[in-house]
Amino acid sequence: MLTVLHVAYSLAIAGPDVAGGAEHILTELDHALVRAGHHSVVVACQGSRVHGTLRATPAVTGPITDAVREAAWAAHRRAITEALDRWPVDVVHLHGLDFPHYLPPPGTPTLATLHLPPTWYPTDALDAGRPRTYLHCVSESQRRACPPSPALLPTIGNGVRLERFAPARTRGRFVVALGRICPEKGYHLALDAARRAGAPMLLAGQLFGYEAHERYYHTEIVPRLDAARRFVGPVGGARKRWLLGAARCLLVPSLVSETSSLVAMEALASGTPVVAFPAGALPEIVEHGVTGFLVRDVDEMAAAIAAVGELDSDACRAAARERFSVDRMARQYLERYAWLARATPATAAVPAPAPREVPAAPEVPAAPTSSPAPAGSFAHASRWGER
């Protein structure tokens, strides 16, 4: 039996239906370990929901300042030390952007999954100098952006619970965008595209207490909302699944190099095409002209909204089944944990596979704009679900 110590981002709650991709992956791996008969210990903020053993650190409320971050790092360091003293941990698995601030002391093999673009991490993150410390990426485009390092192990792509997602009984005329409400996600551009296409839109997601995020919401999102384009706040569970299964398409207008996109995988599992900017790993997820469209600007996104009706929902679901299973992801991680637990410094070098080349996206075909649909709201889902 393995004992794996997962460490979440110091400011985030882990559990089902959380907003962050890193926390979602941590939750799935925690569940997979317990299901396979192993022991999972999770260091995460109070309020987290786990299948294994939770070592809770204080939850963060209110504005996130430098002092708040320092306190959160110190709490994580204490919780990690206590967990290592209490249990015979085989592997420590770090998931947070800020992991260099609470690296465990030398000894236990430690893996850090780089869930975000490499340039977002502290300068010393990719060369921590700690023995038996390893890194890996979640997509090949992300891996190509990393500087060469003997600590960088082969990529493990993300996965989602395919069985939870399916097309809604009636697909609506509205489009949807889901995720953290922050400048780099570019949701103001999705709202512009939906307006140009004459399509109603629901924007769902978590607004965290960062000053830049709140300023973006009030200056870029609120002025673009109207009766047909609404912000519905955080969604999860059945409400999220309904949104993805009933929408005409998912919009992903990211302005940064996305390392992955769980919501795009979930949309495809729901049979819903994805219209996205070709940012980072999105061309690895969306097959242009088959499971969605890769577009360059608001005008092309508006045209693609009208064109998605030509795409086959079954092709979207087939692509998700073939490539984005959480079971495949969990199996690869469990194999990696076992390797790390038995590896010694003399046997720890793992050759990295050659990166898979992703073809450039072809042009998006021109399409007429769709006619406006009646306005509605999430509280009156049936109106949004009508064709």
Side-chain angles (χ1 to χ4, degrees):
M1 182 181 78
L2 290 171
T3 297
V4 177
L5 173 60
H6 288 284
V7 184
Y9 177 49
S10 64
L11 303 176
I13 291 174
D17 297 319
V18 293
E23 290 71 46
H24 175 91
I25 297 303
L26 182 158
T27 300
E28 293 293 355
L29 296 178
D30 164 63
H31 189 194
L33 281 162
V34 173
R35 194 169 58 240
H38 301 294
H39 185 199
S40 174
V41 181
V42 179
V43 170
C45 290
Q46 189 172 12
S48 296
R49 295 167 56 197
V50 303
H51 288 83
T53 303
L54 177 64
R55 293 292 296 167
T57 56
V60 176
T61 59
I64 298 170
T65 63
D66 288 345
V68 168
R69 291 187 180 91
E70 292 284 353
W73 297 336
H76 258 40
R77 287 193 291 268
R78 289 192 297 271
I80 291 168
T81 299
E82 291 168 2
L84 291 172
D85 288 343
R86 180 170 179 179
W87 291 288
V89 174
D90 295 293
V91 177
V92 177
H93 190 173
L94 305 169
H95 295 266
L97 173 68
D98 54 355
F99 75 85
H101 295 281
Y102 42 81
L103 273 172
T108 307
T110 297
L111 174 68
T113 296
L114 304 178
H115 291 282
L116 295 170
T119 55
W120 291 21
Y121 288 84
T123 54
D124 59 348
L126 305 186
D127 185 17
R130 177 189 180 276
R132 306 182 77 188
T133 303
Y134 307 91
L135 312 168
H136 81 265
C137 296
V138 297
S139 65
E140 292 302 335
S141 63
Q142 181 196 28
R143 184 183 178 86
R144 289 194 293 270
C146 287
S149 169
L152 193 61
L153 303 181
T155 298
I156 297 178
N158 288 336
V160 298
R161 288 186 173 272
L162 303 176
E163 70 278 6
R164 292 184 176 177
F165 298 91
R169 185 169 300 177
T170 304
R171 193 171 293 279
R173 296 176 65 185
F174 71 92
V175 300
V176 66
L178 294 96
R180 289 179 294 108
I181 307 302
C182 54
E184 62 267 20
K185 293 298 183 181
Y187 292 130
H188 62 294
L189 301 178
L191 289 163
D192 289 344
R195 182 184 296 275
R196 293 188 193 184
M201 174 176 164
L202 292 175
L203 171 61
Q206 181 75 48
L207 177 62
F208 290 97
Y210 298 98
E211 188 274 335
H213 294 192
E214 293 181 340
R215 183 173 65 250
Y216 169 73
Y217 172 73
H218 289 292
T219 62
E220 300 294 341
I221 298 299
V222 172
R224 289 173 164 85
L225 301 177
D226 56 27
R229 282 152 288 274
R230 297 174 178 265
F231 175 61
V232 298
V235 297
R239 297 201 304 166
K240 178 182 181 182
R241 292 192 292 273
W242 180 86
L243 270 180
L244 290 173
R248 179 177 177 85
C249 64
L250 172 75
L251 303 182
V252 187
S254 182
L255 300 176
V256 296
S257 294
E258 294 287 348
T259 57
S260 182
S261 177
L262 295 176
V263 70
M265 296 175 187
E266 291 169 344
L268 296 178
S270 305
T272 299
V274 178
V275 177
F277 291 161
L282 283 159
E284 299 177 39
I285 298 170
V286 180
E287 187 177 356
H288 182 79
V290 178
T291 62
F293 294 114
L294 298 169
V295 299
R296 296 170 297 187
D297 53 34
V298 168
D299 287 337
E300 289 192 356
M301 183 168 281
I305 290 171
V308 291
E310 304 167 5
L311 302 181
D312 183 1
S313 176
D314 289 340
C316 296
R317 298 188 72 195
R321 286 194 301 270
E322 181 180 345
R323 301 171 54 207
F324 305 131
S325 164
V326 75
D327 293 333
R328 181 271 311 155
M329 179 192 76
R331 182 177 63 254
Q332 291 178 321
Y333 270 106
L334 264 61
E335 290 171 354
R336 179 148 300 169
Y337 295 151
W339 178 85
L340 288 168
R342 65 176 181 265
T344 65
T347 64
V350 177
R356 180 174 66 89
E357 293 297 325
V358 178
E363 295 290 331
V364 177
T369 57
S370 59
S371 57
S377 71
F378 191 81
H380 299 88
S382 61
R383 292 178 58 197
W384 286 85
E386 294 170 356
R387 287 191 177 275

